Amino acid sequence: MGGNKQKTGLLISCWILLALVLVIFFFVKKDAIFSNLKNTNFFERIGQKTPEFIENYKEPETKKESNGLLDIEITPGPAEIGSITEVAEVNNTEHESPVQEIKIEKQVEEKIEDKQKPADQVTEQKKEEPKPVAKSKVNLCFVNVDSDGKVIRRITTREIPKSNAPLTNSIKALLNGPESGDKNCMSLIPAGTRLLGASVKNGIATLNFSEEFEFNGISADSYRAQLMQIVYTATEFSTVDSVQFLIEGQRKDYMGSEELQIWIGSPYSRSNFQ
């Protein structure tokens, strides 16, 4: 009798343990069990009405796993075998890619190499050779005064930068006066004279000078000499036969003071100074 009681107690304990396991399993797998019962219409298949708590059951939303740095979705490519498409959203910008790290290291190495190079070598690499400036030769007319006070014409050749306005540049070079290489040369054009404009039409060069050009104040020969300097310099160009003088944009008959005047109402050519 005692042995039967022990077997009965052991059997009851096993049933209780099994019941506990089933209860624990039920609570762990409750969502899966309810979901399967609802999705498979289990109760309707066996001819019973689906319980209300099963009908109203909602599946819990699954959370997307993320490491907080990079969410990656891998989708098989439709065109290539074995290809994948990665859609990545970077949430942490503090981490640099290996390619960026390599570029940064390379830039640091280049800066270190530049510092290690001699200063002369670095300067030579950065220095650009200046482009040669195209030059053109022009003839300028200056004068010289001999011991008898006679004005003598002197033509000198000079190199000036080449441009699309050679006549303008030649006259401006003349107004700047003789240089150290122009021996025994002087200019009787009043200091401060500026060329305000120049044009050529039908062989006549119209040259517009500032008011300083109008007053020489030395002598009649000096007035003729300053006009001669302009005419001989301008007529060095094949397109110029004569020069019409303007003062501050105005065409005047005479220039100079009332006591000492010279005619400039018509163009001057080289023949006027023979």
Side-chain angles (χ1 to χ4, degrees), residues 140-142 170-177 187 189 229-230 233:
L140 307 180
C141 181
F142 294 105
S170 295
I171 298 300
K172 287 183 177 180
L174 178 68
L175 296 180
N176 289 334
S187 177
I189 300 173
Q229 285 185 241
I230 300 295
T233 299

Side-chain angles (χ1 to χ4, degrees), residues 73-87:
E73 178 184 351
I74 301 177
T75 307
E80 299 180 2
I81 299 176
S83 64
I84 62 173
T85 302
E86 295 186 1
V87 180

Side-chain angles (χ1 to χ4, degrees), residues 104-139:
I104 293 172
E105 290 177 359
K106 187 175 181 180
Q107 292 175 356
V108 173
E109 290 176 357
E110 290 177 352
K111 290 182 179 179
I112 293 174
E113 289 178 358
D114 288 340
K115 290 182 178 179
Q116 293 176 347
K117 291 178 181 179
D120 295 341
Q121 186 176 354
V122 176
T123 304
E124 289 178 1
Q125 291 179 353
K126 294 182 179 180
K127 184 189 296 184
E128 294 183 0
E129 295 183 358
K131 295 181 180 180
V133 179
K135 299 281 188 178
S136 61
K137 290 183 178 182
V138 295
N139 292 329

Side-chain angles (χ1 to χ4, degrees), residues 9 11 18 41 80 88 98 119 152 155 159 169-170 181 196 207-208 211 215 246 252 273-274:
L11 184 61
L18 180 60
N41 297 322
E80 299 180 2
I152 303 172
I155 305 295
E159 286 188 347
N169 286 350
S170 295
L196 304 180
L207 302 180
N208 181 21
E211 60 183 357
F215 300 100
L246 301 181
K252 296 184 176 184
F273 304 99
Q274 299 298 330

Side-chain angles (χ1 to χ4, degrees), residues 215-248:
F215 300 100
N216 185 305
I218 300 176
S219 64
D221 289 339
S222 65
Y223 274 111
R224 285 179 55 83
Q226 76 178 71
L227 297 179
M228 179 185 67
Q229 285 185 241
I230 300 295
V231 170
Y232 267 81
T233 299
T235 54
E236 284 289 333
F237 296 93
S238 59
T239 56
V240 179
D241 297 322
S242 59
V243 175
Q244 175 64 61
F245 293 93
L246 301 181
I247 307 296
E248 294 289 341

Side-chain angles (χ1 to χ4, degrees), residues 4-251:
N4 291 333
K5 288 183 179 180
Q6 290 180 353
K7 290 181 180 179
T8 301
L10 181 61
L11 184 61
I12 292 172
S13 299
C14 289
W15 279 108
I16 293 173
L17 180 61
L18 180 60
L20 289 173
V21 170
L22 291 175
V23 170
I24 294 172
F25 178 79
F26 173 78
F27 281 105
V28 172
K29 295 294 183 179
K30 180 184 68 174
D31 292 333
I33 293 172
F34 284 2
S35 178
N36 289 332
L37 291 175
K38 180 179 179 180
N39 294 333
T40 59
N41 297 322
F42 173 77
F43 291 98
E44 293 180 3
R45 289 185 179 183
I46 62 175
Q48 300 293 328
K49 184 179 179 182
T50 303
E52 186 175 352
F53 71 92
I54 296 294
E55 187 70 28
N56 296 331
Y57 172 75
K58 294 183 179 180
E59 297 182 6
E61 296 181 358
T62 58
K63 294 183 180 180
K64 185 177 180 181
E65 294 183 358
S66 173
N67 59 5
L69 297 178
L70 193 67
D71 296 333
I72 300 177
E73 178 184 351
I74 301 177
T75 307
E80 299 180 2
I81 299 176
S83 64
I84 62 173
T85 302
E86 295 186 1
V87 180
E89 180 182 358
V90 179
N91 297 322
N92 190 342
T93 58
E94 293 181 359
H95 295 79
E96 297 180 350
S97 64
V99 176
Q100 291 175 327
E101 292 177 356
I102 293 172
K103 289 182 178 179
I104 293 172
E105 290 177 359
K106 187 175 181 180
Q107 292 175 356
V108 173
E109 290 176 357
E110 290 177 352
K111 290 182 179 179
I112 293 174
E113 289 178 358
D114 288 340
K115 290 182 178 179
Q116 293 176 347
K117 291 178 181 179
D120 295 341
Q121 186 176 354
V122 176
T123 304
E124 289 178 1
Q125 291 179 353
K126 294 182 179 180
K127 184 189 296 184
E128 294 183 0
E129 295 183 358
K131 295 181 180 180
V133 179
K135 299 281 188 178
S136 61
K137 290 183 178 182
V138 295
N139 292 329
L140 307 180
C141 181
F142 294 105
V143 296
N144 189 17
V145 180
D146 61 13
S147 56
D148 296 331
K150 183 179 180 180
V151 177
I152 303 172
R153 183 173 58 249
R154 301 189 66 87
I155 305 295
T156 64
T157 301
R158 185 181 298 177
E159 286 188 347
I160 61 174
K162 195 173 184 179
S163 71
N164 296 327
L167 174 60
T168 299
N169 286 350
S170 295
I171 298 300
K172 287 183 177 180
L174 178 68
L175 296 180
N176 289 334
E179 293 183 348
S180 58
D182 302 323
K183 295 181 179 181
N184 299 322
C185 289
M186 62 180 296
S187 177
L188 291 177
I189 300 173
T193 299
R194 294 172 291 114
L195 179 67
L196 304 180
S199 63
V200 179
K201 184 177 181 180
N202 298 327
I204 301 175
T206 301
L207 302 180
N208 181 21
F209 293 97
S210 61
E211 60 183 357
E212 289 84 0
F213 185 79
E214 185 175 2
F215 300 100
N216 185 305
I218 300 176
S219 64
D221 289 339
S222 65
Y223 274 111
R224 285 179 55 83
Q226 76 178 71
L227 297 179
M228 179 185 67
Q229 285 185 241
I230 300 295
V231 170
Y232 267 81
T233 299
T235 54
E236 284 289 333
F237 296 93
S238 59
T239 56
V240 179
D241 297 322
S242 59
V243 175
Q244 175 64 61
F245 293 93
L246 301 181
I247 307 296
E248 294 289 341
Q250 296 181 3
R251 183 170 178 172

